[in-house]
Amino acid sequence: MNINWFDADYLPWLIMLFPLLSFVIIVLFTARSRIVSQFVALAGIGIAWVLSMVEFVKVVWASDAELGHEVFGSSIDWMTLGTRTFEMGVLVDPLTAYMLLMVPLACLLIFAYSVGYMRSDPHYSRFFAYISLFAGAMLTLVLADNLLLLFVGWEVMGLCSYLLIGFWFHKKSAYQAGVKAFMTTRVGDMLMMVGIGYLFIVARTLDFREILYNEEMLAHLASTPAVIFGGSAAALIGVLLVAGTIGKSSQFPLHVWLPDAMEGPTPVSAMIHAATMVSAGVYMVVRMFPLLSAGADFHAGDFSAPMIVMGVIGSITALGAAILAVGQNDIKRILAYSTISQLGYMVAALGIGAWVAAAFHLVNHAFFKALLFMASGVVIHAMEHGQHEAAEHGDEHLHHEPEQPDGLVMDYVPPANDIRRMGGLLDRIPVTAITMAIGGLSLAGFPLITAGFWSKDEIIADAWHGAGEGYLLALLVVLCLLAAAVLTAFYTARMWFMTFWGAPRTPAAQHAGIGSFRNAWVRSRWARARRLEGVAVSHQDRSSALWMEVPLIVLAFLAIFAGFIGVHTDFPLLGALDNPLHEFLGGTLLEHPTAVDFNWLPVLASSLLALAGLGVGYWLYGLRPLGAEDADPAEQALGAGIWRVLENRFYIDILYRRYLVRPAEWFAVNIVIQAIDKETIDGVLETIGEAFVWLGEFFKRFNTIVIDGVGDGIPGAIGSFAGWFRQVQTGRIQQYLLYVTLALLALGALMFIQIR
Amino acid sequence: MNFSTDVQASIMAILPEILMTVLAIAVLALDLVWSRARRRDLGYVAGFGLLAVALIVLLVGGPPGDETSDQLLLGGMIRHDTMAQIFRVMVIVAGGLSCLLTMGVSRLNVRGDFYAVLIVSVIGGSLLSAAADLIMVFLALETLSITLYLLAGYLREDVRSSEAGLKYFLFGAFTSAIALYGLSLLYGFTGETNIYRVGRALATGGLGDAPVVLALGLITVGFGFKVSAVPFHFWTPDVYEGAPTPVTSLLSTASKAASFGVLLRFLLAAFPPPELLGSLENVQDYSQLWVQLAVVLSVVTMTLGNVLALVQTNIKRLLAYSSIAQAGYTLIGVAAIATDRSGDGAAAIAFYMFMYVLTNSLAFGVVILFANATGSERIADLAGLSRRNPGLALAMTLALLSLGGIPPAAGFVGKFLLFRAAIDAGLVALALVGVVNVIIGLYYYLVIVKVMYMERSPDEDQPIPVSTPYTWALGIAAAGVLLLGTILVTPLVEWATEAAQSLYVLL
């Protein structure tokens, strides 16, 4: 075999290899050295990123004439079972290439950020091993050329998320959150696995080339009736696969794990919420879209069952999570609900067939959400530092800190995460504040200059178009998403202003900082703020700040500029960029998707709504910054009752706890253990046991008379035979030669008897 | 049937032997030139030299052209086919690993003559894999054996080693003499020495069963000794225990692999199933004779080997009985090749031997390291190895899992292929006996794992160091065992199947 590993067909193998290799190296060899482990992890993801860029360039270059009509990849025989050979391979089509643009880069930045963020953690090496495995699994998933390998990556990521969310396992809430995430996503995974199995039964293959790029196969799947529920096989498989996404991408009703996943270290949150885990769920449905939409002409308003499920679930989730985000006070939890909401956008977009828009938003969201999470991590770091210093300075308040509860508690907010305790951080961590503002604007969809605007706008434009044609599903989607857009802008503004604006509301916020002194301007602002408040400037850890802030700056650029590749061609001025993304990504589908005609109304609507949301946020929280004793204006406006509902997350978690988890536990303890196991089975067993004891007594008497003469059963016989035969092995060569001669004679005699 | 006289093809056919002869001379010369301190590195020259030769054989050692008729070279002495290539690779790799393992034995590692004799032994094994003439078979067999007698008794001042060498020599001479008598009978019956011509002459000669049984039985003694099949195995535990451990490793790998290689070729060529002879008429079928023989030997060999391994307390003796049992499994494949024309049986043997060579080198490597560090070869003393050197314990576990046939080690695939071939050939009962034996075998393999990991020892604070040549040898072997059990399964099976098919083309 003569393989040029740098050929676009083979390069993907290397891309996914290196992070996995880092994992192996760290676990087996370098775990004792923090510095080496850190660089092994960085090198692994760094090489993967460089190779991804090479691969991307090669793919775009090769498909220069007609963007995206070539598929690269290679596969090897994995295992042959009976007459079936499972192949394992990689595939790079425009969709994968687009993901390669995002995943390794986001991971690399997260890794770099982790170097600063995790600096003082005692399990530093282990952390880098886990996130390397995580990144490797994500790349495997993105590059896989069949559903089986995709599922392998999917499950490895599930494992990693469990390990990472519960990384601080000595905290009860952390490991409970890990278990919660694992068990909740498992519900979706099981359904997805059933779907994969059924797909294999019907299609006899799981290869993307043979399913997604094969019109006959899609037609076959769409025309085969499903075993249950009526409908086509494609529809049933599609719904099952969508169930996987509902778990993985945290959609209603399986969204409950994601907010609690905030118990993990912040880079993990960024990993899970931006670059990898939740993106994987949406990526899978984006990837499988030809199958999900098989047999349905959605341009004419005929939506297939999986699409309807996605449209409805996505819309509910987008709106519901946006409402919940308004009522949260934990900075990371706000972002968590925001993530759920944004993923709802993508899923809803797929539901109405806005395929390109969904992929576009997936990547843009990954960038700005990674930025927001990592910025929130800096905020938390700064606040923890502030708490520490405040305690040293002997400020009061600390006595009132609520005790860390034992386990997951619905409305408990760790003090360092609580935006009610912040305020005025703009002067203390300006780089973070500004980059977070950029990320927030992108999230809110600030018109024209942010990436989030362009992709969100494209989704809304597609839905608007569908609603205009009179499709009910599209109408539902557009209404929910527009409502969610206002709320998104509002809670983003609320979060930002409460965190950074005005004066510090607690001593912790007053002392907050991470000590970013390289920039003279930053330094002077920071020192001035401290002097104005009459606080001595103290020495702080300088080195970790660089590792944390550089990724933020890079992501801030992407949060702005990543959107320009997808601007509608008819958009004034910016349309001149020619929307390369649509052409490029469109090549992935068998039938090139048509872009909907440009329409001013949705653009204006979404712009105005975003601005309105931001405006209300500014009006409530920016114009007159919250003081230390003030009540939250949103809370006042909504009333305490509704606010409680929001704080308790619509009581869904409590519902699950009360009606699913507790009954399951009760069932396990009372029915399975007590009634079935203890009483029934043990009872039967005891009866049988007694019978055997009696029988044993009988045999014992029998034994002493008969069996003892034979020996202690077969093992004894083997042993004694071996012992006997050992006697033959005397060590005397003369005897050996005699044995050989005898054996030869015996053998000869045997054979002569045989041939007679 | 004509012998090719193409000079270039003839040279290519014995290229590995030529290269290894040069290597042996080079090692001897360096032994003279280098200072004593420097001579410690001779093992690198010999070991990596052999591995390089193996690589060359792997890359360019394939048969010439497409015409199978061109494969019989050098007056019919050598058949240069894919089967010869695959067995040569494993024999030479086994030799290379043994050289690297020798570097840890203090009295041997500075002796160029030891390495040279070892290389000559490998030359014998390599020639044996390709031998296609009665004379060549015997010559190669003796080249392999005589050098091994020397190697087994190389530590003259060590009583156990001398005893092992002498025992091995006496036993070998005795069985060789018997086998030679069988070979000369074959020549007497047919007037031919080329095994393919012998096969035709026998099949059409109308001799009847009795003379053939006589010849076959006598020859079986010779091969039975080489592969240590019961009841010709008596030398095995004593010699394995007494010989320097790298030599034991070589005995259990290269010698056994080469012997199975020639056994396959010899049986199929000299006593062929009639269908393979094509157009000949009035053909007599002697193949069922050796199939029955193989079945009987297989059953007693694996059963006795496993049962006796159960009661061993010395790790080298345990591995000796284990290697007897492994030979028994391999004989299952031999029994299958006559009826199974697809080549699966022969391919299974080739695969099995390939993984076995790597697995046993790995196991013996660990044993040497352990014995050097602690001076003990008792199984009970392995307690706490996982804490003294986790990597070493892991390598040993991998080797034991492979021997026991548990994935992901290569042994699983090997056993699966062997049993499948037996079932395809209609030998279901034999396959079942094999499975039962695997279960018995698992017991003593896993007991060692248990001792290494679960049992504590007072010496746990004394780590066991691993020197550079051992890192290489163990690393290569472990990687091989693992890869052959996972991603390299298909390539190797394909290669072995190709080789097996060439075996069924009688020239």
Side-chain angles (χ1 to χ4, degrees):
Chain A
M1 264 198 317
N2 213 345
I3 291 178
N4 176 9
W5 286 103
F6 289 94
D7 196 82
D9 287 332
Y10 297 105
L11 197 59
W13 292 101
L14 298 183
I15 296 177
M16 60 189 189
L17 176 72
F18 279 100
L20 295 174
L21 209 59
S22 299
F23 166 71
V24 173
I25 291 174
I26 295 174
V27 167
L28 289 184
F29 304 112
T30 69
R32 290 202 188 130
S33 165
R34 299 159 64 91
I35 301 296
V36 177
S37 301
Q38 156 198 330
F39 280 108
V40 167
L42 281 172
I45 193 69
I47 294 171
W49 175 62
V50 171
L51 294 178
S52 305
M53 290 302 112
V54 173
E55 175 77 14
F56 182 79
V57 169
K58 284 190 180 218
V59 171
V60 176
W61 184 268
S63 51
D64 196 25
E66 213 173 332
L67 274 176
H69 274 272
E70 294 207 30
V71 175
F72 295 91
S74 55
S75 62
I76 57 168
D77 286 355
W78 188 10
M79 50 182 168
T80 306
L81 295 173
T83 53
R84 286 291 318 163
T85 300
F86 279 96
E87 290 190 336
M88 183 169 75
V90 293
L91 172 139
V92 179
D93 60 7
L95 174 62
T96 309
Y98 187 45
M99 292 297 286
L100 281 182
L101 209 53
M102 181 276 280
V103 174
L105 177 58
C107 286
L108 176 63
L109 294 171
I110 292 165
F111 277 45
Y113 175 86
S114 308
V115 171
Y117 192 86
M118 300 298 287
R119 174 141 304 191
S120 53
D121 197 277
H123 303 299
Y124 191 70
S125 302
R126 191 167 69 201
F127 182 79
F128 277 99
Y130 287 167
I131 58 174
S132 292
L133 180 61
F134 207 144
M138 180 65 188
L139 288 169
T140 308
L141 180 138
V142 169
L143 291 165
D145 78 338
N146 63 70
L147 209 45
L148 193 63
L149 187 59
L150 184 148
F151 193 65
V152 171
W154 179 281
E155 288 292 301
V156 173
M157 264 201 289
L159 170 72
C160 287
S161 79
Y162 165 73
L163 292 171
L164 284 168
I165 292 170
F167 188 75
W168 288 321
F169 53 84
H170 45 84
K171 263 167 66 186
K172 192 174 178 195
S173 56
Y175 83 68
Q176 282 184 344
V179 172
K180 187 171 178 182
F182 197 60
M183 296 310 288
T184 313
T185 50
R186 186 73 1 178
V187 175
D189 292 354
M190 282 313 298
L191 293 172
M192 178 177 169
M193 206 156 83
V194 173
I196 293 176
Y198 188 45
L199 175 62
F200 185 71
I201 291 172
V202 182
R204 308 303 303 163
T205 178
L206 294 173
D207 196 312
F208 293 151
R209 294 184 200 84
E210 290 169 37
I211 299 173
L212 305 178
Y213 288 97
N214 185 343
E215 241 166 302
E216 286 169 28
M217 177 63 80
L218 289 174
H220 168 67
L221 285 169
S223 60
T224 312
V227 279
I228 41 169
F229 300 134
S232 70
L236 180 57
I237 294 163
V239 171
L240 288 167
L241 292 181
V242 170
T245 294
I246 289 174
K248 205 68 158 184
S249 290
S250 190
Q251 298 293 290
F252 176 84
L254 298 180
H255 64 280
V256 293
W257 63 270
L258 210 151
D260 288 326
M262 295 304 116
E263 292 291 335
T266 297
V268 171
S269 310
M271 258 336 234
I272 291 174
H273 296 91
T276 50
M277 179 123 157
V278 294
S279 298
V282 175
Y283 168 78
M284 193 269 290
V285 275
V286 170
R287 161 65 66 208
M288 300 308 288
F289 185 71
L291 175 68
L292 304 184
S293 62
D297 183 13
F298 57 85
H299 295 299
D302 171 23
F303 298 105
S304 65
M307 293 178 76
I308 296 171
V309 172
M310 285 194 290
V312 173
I313 294 278
S315 306
I316 294 175
T317 312
L319 184 56
I323 295 171
L324 282 178
V326 173
Q328 302 299 318
N329 290 317
D330 181 331
I331 185 166
K332 280 174 83 179
R333 217 171 267 162
I334 296 173
L335 292 173
Y337 278 109
S338 143
T339 305
I340 297 174
S341 166
Q342 295 299 308
L343 291 165
Y345 269 80
M346 302 168 209
V347 174
L350 278 176
I352 51 161
W355 187 84
V356 175
F360 188 28
H361 197 52
L362 174 62
V363 168
N364 288 348
H365 171 255
F367 285 136
F368 65 68
K369 193 50 69 67
L371 166 61
L372 286 170
F373 266 111
M374 298 206 281
S376 79
V378 179
V379 169
I380 294 167
H381 239 32
M383 283 297 287
E384 279 169 351
H385 181 85
Q387 283 174 3
H388 196 71
E389 284 217 347
E392 272 181 9
H393 286 265
D395 284 316
E396 22 69 84
H397 254 283
L398 274 184
H399 310 292
H400 306 299
E401 302 282 2
E403 286 291 308
Q404 169 97 23
D406 188 27
L408 283 177
V409 173
M410 197 61 36
D411 51 0
Y412 171 71
V413 181
N417 295 14
D418 195 338
I419 55 173
R420 288 170 302 193
R421 294 163 171 274
M422 298 177 189
L425 294 185
L426 177 61
D427 284 327
R428 287 160 182 79
I429 39 175
V431 173
T432 309
I434 291 164
T435 49
M436 197 162 185
I438 293 171
L441 289 177
S442 201
L443 169 63
F446 191 80
L448 301 182
I449 58 166
T450 60
F453 169 72
W454 296 112
S455 48
K456 200 185 281 187
D457 178 60
E458 195 172 334
I459 294 176
I460 290 173
D462 275 20
W464 189 286
H465 174 79
E469 301 276 322
Y471 310 145
L472 276 180
L473 185 66
L475 189 63
L476 172 74
V477 169
V478 79
L479 289 178
C480 284
L481 296 195
L482 283 175
V486 192
L487 290 166
T488 306
F490 173 71
Y491 67 67
T492 311
R494 172 174 178 266
M495 174 187 76
W496 196 86
F497 285 118
M498 279 184 80
T499 307
F500 295 107
W501 213 241
R505 287 188 287 276
T506 56
Q510 198 170 5
H511 291 90
I514 56 165
S516 154
F517 289 151
R518 287 157 316 286
N519 183 308
W521 177 75
V522 171
R523 183 194 161 87
S524 65
R525 295 281 295 171
W526 183 82
R528 192 176 65 99
R530 305 308 286 286
R531 267 198 310 279
L532 282 178
E533 288 147 11
V535 180
V537 178
S538 67
H539 175 78
Q540 295 190 8
D541 176 24
R542 304 171 181 209
S543 49
S544 60
L546 179 67
W547 283 104
M548 293 199 275
E549 282 177 356
V550 169
L552 294 184
I553 294 167
V554 175
L555 281 171
F557 271 99
L558 289 166
I560 293 176
F561 292 106
F564 290 120
I565 55 172
V567 180
H568 198 286
T569 41
D570 293 336
F571 201 87
L573 210 59
L574 286 168
L577 290 170
D578 207 27
N579 198 355
L581 181 75
H582 191 90
E583 275 301 307
F584 182 63
L585 274 187
T588 311
L589 296 184
L590 273 176
E591 179 193 354
H592 206 87
T594 45
V596 295
D597 294 334
F598 183 71
N599 187 345
W600 274 107
L601 284 175
V603 179
L604 280 179
S606 64
S607 305
L608 288 176
L609 287 172
L611 290 174
L614 288 169
V616 172
Y618 178 68
W619 178 57
L620 285 180
Y621 296 93
L623 273 182
R624 200 184 65 82
L626 222 54
E629 310 301 327
D630 290 346
D632 192 324
E635 188 178 345
Q636 285 174 312
L638 290 172
I642 297 178
W643 194 256
R644 286 300 300 164
V645 173
L646 293 187
E647 273 189 336
N648 284 299
R649 315 173 189 179
F650 290 142
Y651 296 103
I652 293 175
D653 293 60
I654 294 171
L655 230 78
Y656 282 175
R657 174 107 207 113
R658 187 168 299 160
Y659 294 108
L660 289 176
V661 180
R662 290 238 184 91
E665 278 174 4
W666 181 86
F667 184 77
V669 171
N670 291 313
I671 305 292
V672 180
I673 297 181
Q674 195 59 41
I676 299 182
D677 223 48
K678 284 249 167 66
E679 287 165 20
T680 315
I681 297 184
D682 283 6
V684 172
L685 284 181
E686 269 169 34
T687 316
I688 295 175
E690 277 166 23
F692 271 94
V693 169
W694 180 85
L695 208 64
E697 283 297 315
F698 172 77
F699 275 122
K700 198 170 148 194
R701 298 207 186 106
F702 181 75
N703 213 4
T704 45
I705 304 161
V706 186
I707 305 292
D708 274 4
V710 185
D712 289 326
I714 295 171
I718 292 178
S720 52
F721 172 68
W724 171 80
F725 204 85
R726 240 167 136 187
Q727 310 285 318
V728 177
Q729 197 78 28
T730 54
R732 286 168 176 269
I733 187 77
Q734 299 91 321
Q735 285 185 6
Y736 291 175
L737 299 182
L738 186 64
Y739 296 146
V740 171
T741 319
L742 289 176
L744 177 63
L745 289 177
L747 210 63
L750 207 69
M751 291 186 71
F752 275 111
I753 293 166
Q754 181 94 28
I755 58 177
R756 287 280 150 215
Chain B
M1 173 178 48
N2 292 311
F3 304 139
S4 170
T5 51
D6 184 338
V7 174
Q8 199 194 341
S10 300
I11 291 177
M12 286 306 285
I14 52 166
L15 182 70
E17 287 77 21
I18 296 174
L19 290 176
M20 282 189 284
T21 311
V22 173
L23 182 63
I25 295 169
V27 170
L28 275 181
L30 287 177
D31 185 43
L32 290 176
V33 179
W34 278 1
S35 66
R36 188 174 168 82
R38 204 122 180 247
R39 269 183 265 159
R40 286 182 195 287
D41 290 338
L42 278 172
Y44 280 127
V45 178
F48 283 109
L50 283 177
L51 291 178
V53 175
L55 193 65
I56 291 169
V57 178
L58 181 68
L59 296 177
V60 299
D66 299 328
E67 288 290 315
T68 44
S69 57
D70 290 339
Q71 293 179 351
L72 222 43
L73 293 154
L74 296 163
M77 288 287 165
I78 295 284
R79 171 145 182 209
H80 189 203
D81 59 1
T82 317
M83 203 58 166
Q85 184 196 12
I86 195 170
F87 272 96
R88 273 172 162 163
V89 171
M90 58 182 103
V91 168
I92 300 171
V93 167
L97 291 176
S98 289
C99 286
L100 291 177
L101 295 183
T102 307
M103 295 180 73
V105 182
S106 56
R107 276 170 297 174
L108 295 176
N109 58 6
V110 289
R111 298 186 59 171
D113 49 342
F114 179 86
Y115 291 117
V117 175
L118 199 157
I119 293 169
V120 174
S121 180
V122 176
I123 293 176
S126 170
L127 268 182
L128 195 58
S129 313
D133 190 287
L134 296 179
I135 295 171
M136 196 66 216
V137 168
F138 190 70
L139 271 179
L141 203 61
E142 288 304 295
T143 311
L144 176 64
S145 299
I146 292 173
T147 45
L148 283 173
Y149 306 149
L150 276 177
L151 292 173
Y154 225 83
L155 292 171
R156 265 170 308 174
E157 53 274 47
D158 181 345
V159 181
R160 288 197 311 165
S161 171
S162 314
E163 184 190 334
L166 188 64
K167 263 186 192 167
Y168 190 32
F169 167 64
L170 288 173
F171 205 98
F174 185 67
T175 50
S176 292
I178 296 176
L180 184 59
Y181 186 40
L183 293 178
S184 47
L185 275 182
L186 276 188
Y187 172 66
F189 295 149
T190 59
E192 300 282 0
T193 59
N194 185 286
I195 55 173
Y196 295 98
R197 290 188 177 173
V198 167
R200 273 158 207 266
L202 270 187
T204 53
L207 274 174
D209 281 347
V212 177
V213 164
L214 186 61
L216 186 60
L218 294 172
I219 294 167
T220 305
V221 176
F223 285 126
F225 156 70
K226 288 307 291 178
V227 302
S228 56
V230 175
F232 314 107
H233 70 285
F234 293 101
W235 60 277
T236 317
D238 296 3
V239 175
Y240 275 30
E241 189 185 1
T245 313
V247 178
T248 311
S249 167
L250 189 70
L251 271 176
S252 75
T253 55
S255 167
K256 192 169 282 196
S259 307
F260 269 112
V262 73
L263 185 61
L264 290 181
R265 186 189 304 287
F266 181 80
L267 290 176
L268 274 177
F271 311 99
E275 305 92 280
L276 294 188
L277 291 172
S279 56
L280 291 183
E281 288 177 8
N282 292 331
V283 182
Q284 261 181 308
D285 179 10
Y286 298 115
S287 65
Q288 283 314 306
L289 291 176
W290 55 261
V291 169
Q292 286 166 7
L293 203 58
V295 170
V296 172
L297 287 183
S298 166
V299 170
V300 293
T301 303
M302 58 192 171
T303 310
L304 224 73
N306 275 323
V307 168
L308 285 171
L310 284 177
V311 291
Q312 301 304 320
T313 53
N314 177 301
I315 184 77
K316 276 170 82 178
R317 279 185 92 83
L318 183 134
L319 286 175
Y321 283 108
S322 141
S323 87
I324 293 173
Q326 302 289 335
Y329 300 139
T330 318
L331 282 168
I332 294 179
V334 175
I337 55 175
T339 30
D340 174 25
R341 214 73 76 236
S342 61
D344 283 351
I349 293 175
F351 184 96
Y352 201 80
M353 277 294 122
F354 210 115
M355 78 86 199
Y356 175 73
V357 160
L358 293 170
T359 306
N360 250 23
S361 300
L362 183 60
F364 277 112
V366 176
V367 169
I368 303 174
L369 262 177
F370 184 76
N372 281 350
T374 64
S376 166
E377 290 172 359
R378 288 180 59 229
I379 294 172
D381 289 341
L382 285 169
L385 183 62
S386 62
R387 291 171 195 85
R388 300 177 72 172
N389 187 331
L392 213 54
L394 193 64
M396 190 67 177
T397 306
L398 184 65
L400 293 169
L401 290 184
S402 184
L403 288 171
I406 295 190
F412 166 74
V413 185
K415 289 196 169 62
F416 173 75
L417 293 173
L418 277 179
F419 295 154
R420 190 183 68 174
I423 289 169
D424 286 349
L427 301 166
V428 180
L430 183 60
L432 278 180
V433 175
V435 171
V436 171
N437 263 290
V438 169
I439 296 168
I440 297 179
L442 267 183
Y443 174 75
Y444 59 83
Y445 292 131
L446 293 184
V447 161
I448 303 178
V449 177
K450 189 196 92 180
V451 171
M452 289 191 303
Y453 279 89
M454 316 285 269
E455 289 181 10
R456 311 296 298 236
S457 122
D459 303 326
E460 274 168 22
D461 49 340
Q462 300 165 10
I464 295 177
V466 180
S467 60
T468 317
Y470 275 77
T471 314
W472 276 104
L474 297 183
I476 292 170
V481 172
L482 205 56
L483 292 179
L484 287 184
T486 49
I487 57 175
L488 289 185
V489 171
T490 311
L492 182 60
V493 168
E494 277 170 7
W495 189 27
T497 308
E498 189 193 332
Q501 276 151 3
S502 71
L503 208 57
Y504 287 100
V505 181
L506 300 188
L507 301 174

